[in-house]
Amino acid sequence: MNESDTSRHFLRQWIEKDVADGKTGGKVVTRFPPEPNGYIHIGHAKAVCVDFGMAALFGGECHLRLDDTNPAKESDEYAENIKKDIRWLGFQWSGDGDGVESGFYNASNMFDKMYEIAENLIKRGQAYCCNLGQEEWKEYRGTPEKPGKPSPSRDTDPERNLKIFREMRDGKYADGEWCLRAKIDMSSPNIHFRDPVLYRIRHVAHYHLGEKWCIYPMYDFAHPIEDALEGVTHSMCTLEFEVHRPLYDWVVDRLDEMGMLVERGGVKIRPQQREFARLNLTHTVMSKRLLLQLVTEGRVNGWDDPRMPTVCGMRRRGYTPGAIREFCERVGVSKVESESEGALLEWCVREELNKTALRRMAVLDPVKVVIDNFEGVREVELPNNPLDESALTRKIPFSREIWIDRSDFMEVPEKKFFRMFPGGEVRLRGACIFKCSHAVKDDAGNVVEIHGTWDPGSWGGNAPDGRKVKGTIHWVDAATGVKAKFRLYEQLFTAKDPLKDGSERFLEHMNPDSLCEKEGFVEPLLGTAAPGERFQFERTGYFVADEKDFSPSSPVFNRTVTLKDSYKPA
RNA sequence: UGCCUCGUGGUGUAAUGGUAGCACCGCAGAUUCUGAUUCUGCUUGUUGGGGUUCGAGUCCCUGCGAGGCAACCA
């Protein structure tokens, strides 16, 4: 990615201007703030690319901050996997790798500061404790069309508020009994200004801090504080937070009044929030809740199921970090809610793998071919990657009996089928020209064995008389081929938008054929592949040795993506 | 019917008052020992109406459409 390739989208122009205006104190600082309550998916990957990408573009830094302000749903397992996935995507926060991790933050590490700020707000008469119940709360808040009305506690004096707030902290009250609210404007057209809740009581242990707190800050209060205290200059998030922005600015203003904004290069750093459209992908769902449902109901085999849009799922599928980054670059950044096509992601994957994946031959649905006039064993030499000479070549044994794919044979060829059929000639990739004589069938009419002869003058693949053979098919030597399992993946959902009938009915759109398991043979070399290693199986697709289930004695390959196929029977 | 945001080919995005461009998808052809790759060509677009301007996708007004906001979630 160089500068001219990068789109000059509105966020970039925004930051450019702030840098020019000297607002950043010499360093652009962004942040990626996931909540550790699930695995990150391709949608988060776009945010990671934007957050880390913009920082890198301006020579600044991007913090990884776990926004762990709601202990009810968060866990260390999620936290660790988020870090792993971001590293895998190819991004680094300051100090990652040398154990310092100065660019890594937990929101929960700022709880002391947040509490102090909350007390300050109370003392300044800008926040108060409120004990409205759920129902009353709703009634007092009003609706978007109707202004709210003040809580009876709105004008309690700071002294008493401070006392109650400390009692909240000390565990004197039950969940929901009291909360701390900002004192702003109950009649604002923006509901987030109607005295929003700043702190709520939650008698729940925090995965990171244990029992230290029983009150926890709300996102709208915590986020601007985190940004400000970390010296973040540009805080980018998704569109639904646009309405929260005035509140974000309100908190930053209060921090400014309290003299709590950090200074850098003689400049007071005022964090600013801007919003861009989240990534949506066709034929999948992106909501953490729905993905969790797929996992817990066993509709897929875990968060890292290769059909999942999670980063760990895509990794297991064989997608590359580079392809994912390229995809995020290509879909662009804007404020238009849109749905990108999965085809573009697949194109990015093929684009990279075509250049880098070693070529191999694998037969997924084997049928035996006997070359009646072939004797002994010969060796075929083929390039590991015809696009990259430095990848060198490999040698593959070839003998009288081989496996080919069932789909490469037709007893009665249709028009424009130029693979194997009785009476026709086909090239066996890298080996020779073969003329099929007949097929042996079982009682049910299934082809069980194909016979024919080779042209002894054609070793290497070219006819001695220069005659053209249009079709070339792949094969695996039966004597030395290695048995292998293949997992063929397709879209998890048949509908472009699985949520079109509402999220409660999205399961109805699941693709029953999203996973198809096959058993066949691969060329001998593949028995020693490393888990996670990616290949192109010629004429078939890109595959990866499964990172969990592959072993030399029982090779398992996941299909990453098929090769483009322009074969259309006439 | 409150407030906020957004409408450019099938999809995603560019054009920042001056020739509507790029990519993916699709289609057609060339090359090819992968029906892949590569190469060439093609189809398809500014939400309607009014206004400002020499000139509007861009600015203004208005209609239409889409989305967001009424968790003590993030």
Side-chain angles (χ1 to χ4, degrees):
Chain A
M1 178 174 91
N2 65 52
E3 199 162 321
S4 60
D5 291 340
T6 312
S7 137
R8 292 176 49 85
H9 53 71
F10 75 105
L11 291 175
R12 180 172 167 184
Q13 295 183 38
W14 168 56
I15 299 172
E16 251 166 23
K17 184 168 189 313
D18 284 349
V19 170
D21 293 347
K23 287 189 189 173
T24 63
K27 184 159 83 172
V28 170
V29 181
T30 63
R31 101 275 92 110
F32 175 64
E35 185 186 13
N37 67 347
Y39 284 71
I40 60 169
H41 53 58
I42 180 81
H44 296 106
K46 175 181 172 183
V48 168
C49 289
V50 171
D51 290 335
F52 281 87
M54 284 301 102
L57 188 64
F58 290 96
E61 66 173 292
C62 178
H63 299 169
L64 169 61
R65 177 172 71 227
L66 296 179
D67 209 2
D68 49 0
T69 58
N70 182 1
K73 300 181 287 184
E74 298 158 2
S75 80
D76 209 40
E77 183 208 338
Y78 290 135
E80 283 313 308
N81 279 293
I82 287 169
K83 295 173 87 168
K84 176 180 173 184
D85 288 346
I86 294 171
R87 290 185 184 114
W88 180 76
L89 282 171
F91 297 98
Q92 257 193 341
W93 46 96
S94 305
D96 185 34
D98 61 21
V100 182
E101 296 209 73
S102 57
F104 173 75
Y105 295 82
N106 282 287
S108 52
N109 282 154
M110 288 175 251
F111 282 177
D112 288 325
K113 263 284 189 302
M114 290 178 198
Y115 178 83
E116 179 192 328
I117 292 163
E119 283 210 352
N120 277 341
L121 246 28
I122 293 173
K123 290 173 191 162
R124 303 158 63 95
Q126 290 164 327
Y128 61 95
C129 294
C130 173
N131 63 345
L132 247 28
Q134 288 294 322
E135 285 314 304
E136 299 164 294
W137 168 268
K138 258 189 182 170
E139 185 200 328
Y140 276 76
R141 183 192 43 215
T143 66
E145 295 85 4
K146 229 175 46 196
K149 54 184 181 181
S151 156
S153 322
R154 194 167 203 263
D155 291 317
T156 310
D157 63 273
E159 235 49 24
R160 174 157 166 73
N161 277 322
L162 209 50
K163 178 171 173 286
I164 300 170
F165 188 51
R166 287 175 180 167
E167 289 170 346
M168 282 169 59
R169 176 199 59 190
D170 296 337
K172 190 170 171 191
Y173 304 111
D175 288 8
E177 204 173 331
W178 284 89
C179 68
L180 182 72
R181 299 176 69 176
K183 193 169 175 179
I184 308 182
D185 178 6
M186 285 310 290
S187 61
S188 169
N190 183 339
I191 289 205
H192 301 282
F193 255 30
R194 319 241 265 233
D195 291 10
V197 173
L198 265 24
Y199 262 94
R200 80 290 214 183
I201 301 172
R202 279 271 179 288
H203 289 274
V204 176
H206 190 276
Y207 80 96
H208 183 222
L209 296 179
E211 308 274 352
K212 182 173 179 191
W213 297 90
C214 66
I215 57 172
Y216 292 94
M218 298 287 292
Y219 169 86
D220 281 319
F221 181 58
H223 208 84
I225 295 177
E226 294 155 17
D227 284 345
L229 264 34
E230 289 178 24
V232 166
T233 56
H234 299 266
S235 188
M236 294 165 278
C237 61
T238 43
L239 252 27
E240 70 269 27
F241 290 103
E242 204 155 22
V243 245
H244 296 240
R245 194 155 93 203
L247 182 52
Y248 181 99
D249 290 336
W250 184 90
V251 174
V252 174
D253 284 341
R254 302 292 81 77
L255 260 21
D256 192 6
E257 288 168 5
M258 295 175 197
M260 296 189 71
L261 296 182
V262 306
E263 253 186 55
R264 186 163 56 232
V267 181
K268 201 154 63 174
I269 302 301
R270 241 193 103 85
Q272 305 177 82
Q273 171 185 301
R274 286 295 183 280
E275 311 81 16
F276 62 95
R278 63 167 3 100
L279 173 69
N280 294 299
L281 252 195
T282 57
H283 305 284
T284 191
V285 295
M286 220 68 102
S287 122
K288 276 187 197 172
R289 194 189 99 234
L290 267 21
L291 292 176
L292 179 64
Q293 187 183 343
L294 292 172
V295 172
T296 54
E297 291 182 6
R299 313 275 175 178
V300 296
N301 303 314
W303 284 101
D304 66 348
D305 186 298
R307 292 165 293 181
M308 293 280 274
T310 48
V311 171
C312 54
M314 294 189 292
R315 173 168 60 231
R316 204 164 166 202
R317 176 82 171 249
Y319 287 13
T320 61
I324 294 170
R325 278 186 259 119
E326 177 68 18
F327 171 71
C328 292
E329 185 64 36
R330 280 174 179 265
V331 295
V333 177
S334 75
K335 300 189 70 158
V336 187
E337 297 196 43
S338 56
E339 188 172 53
S340 297
E341 290 181 340
L344 179 60
L345 214 205
E346 294 198 338
W347 181 86
C348 293
V349 172
R350 288 192 189 104
E351 163 84 356
E352 179 173 343
L353 258 22
N354 181 43
K355 291 184 200 140
T356 58
L358 300 185
R359 310 294 131 116
R360 294 290 183 263
M361 292 197 288
V363 173
L364 276 51
D365 183 14
V367 61
K368 188 167 277 184
V369 172
V370 181
I371 309 163
D372 292 315
N373 62 339
F374 194 94
E375 280 171 21
V377 177
R378 295 199 182 203
E379 221 168 40
V380 170
E381 185 167 9
L382 280 172
N384 281 318
N385 186 337
L387 269 42
D388 176 12
E389 256 184 53
S390 70
L392 307 176
T393 63
R394 69 193 193 279
K395 289 182 174 152
I396 317 157
F398 179 90
S399 60
R400 178 184 165 87
E401 296 190 357
I402 59 172
W403 301 106
I404 68 161
D405 256 304
R406 211 162 265 283
S407 58
D408 284 335
F409 175 80
M410 284 189 99
E411 192 160 33
V412 183
E414 56 199 6
K415 242 185 176 175
K416 286 176 80 179
F417 181 85
F418 44 86
R419 280 121 77 165
M420 189 183 290
F421 54 89
E425 280 194 320
V426 70
R427 180 164 28 240
L428 297 171
R429 174 77 164 132
C432 62
I433 293 172
F434 172 87
K435 183 167 187 175
C436 172
S437 58
H438 66 285
V440 179
K441 294 197 273 190
D442 64 14
D443 295 342
N446 301 312
V447 173
V448 292
E449 201 169 270
I450 297 162
H451 284 260
T453 53
W454 76 296
D455 176 348
S458 70
W459 187 250
N462 289 314
D465 58 2
R467 69 184 186 278
K468 290 280 181 222
V469 174
K470 173 83 172 153
T472 299
I473 66 172
H474 61 279
W475 50 271
V476 170
D477 176 51
T480 54
V482 175
K483 208 173 212 179
K485 284 190 183 131
F486 308 97
R487 303 203 275 230
L488 310 184
Y489 295 104
E490 281 173 24
Q491 289 147 344
L492 230 201
F493 295 91
T494 51
K496 238 180 159 184
D497 177 13
L499 301 181
K500 62 179 183 176
D501 302 322
S503 67
E504 65 286 346
R505 296 182 62 180
F506 82 114
L507 291 174
E508 293 169 22
H509 299 294
M510 284 192 76
N511 178 5
D513 304 317
S514 61
L515 169 59
C516 172
E517 296 188 89
K518 295 269 192 189
E519 245 184 70
F521 299 91
V522 295
E523 61 180 80
L525 232 40
L526 283 172
T528 59
E533 205 175 346
R534 304 180 183 91
F535 302 95
Q536 184 200 95
F537 292 169
E538 291 201 31
R539 303 209 313 128
T540 302
Y542 295 99
F543 286 73
V544 63
D546 187 80
E547 63 183 33
K548 283 183 174 168
D549 300 331
F550 181 95
S551 75
S553 58
S554 154
V556 178
F557 296 95
N558 301 333
R559 185 170 70 196
T560 307
V561 62
T562 59
L563 252 32
K564 220 173 126 185
D565 182 10
S566 59
Y567 171 59
K568 286 179 297 289

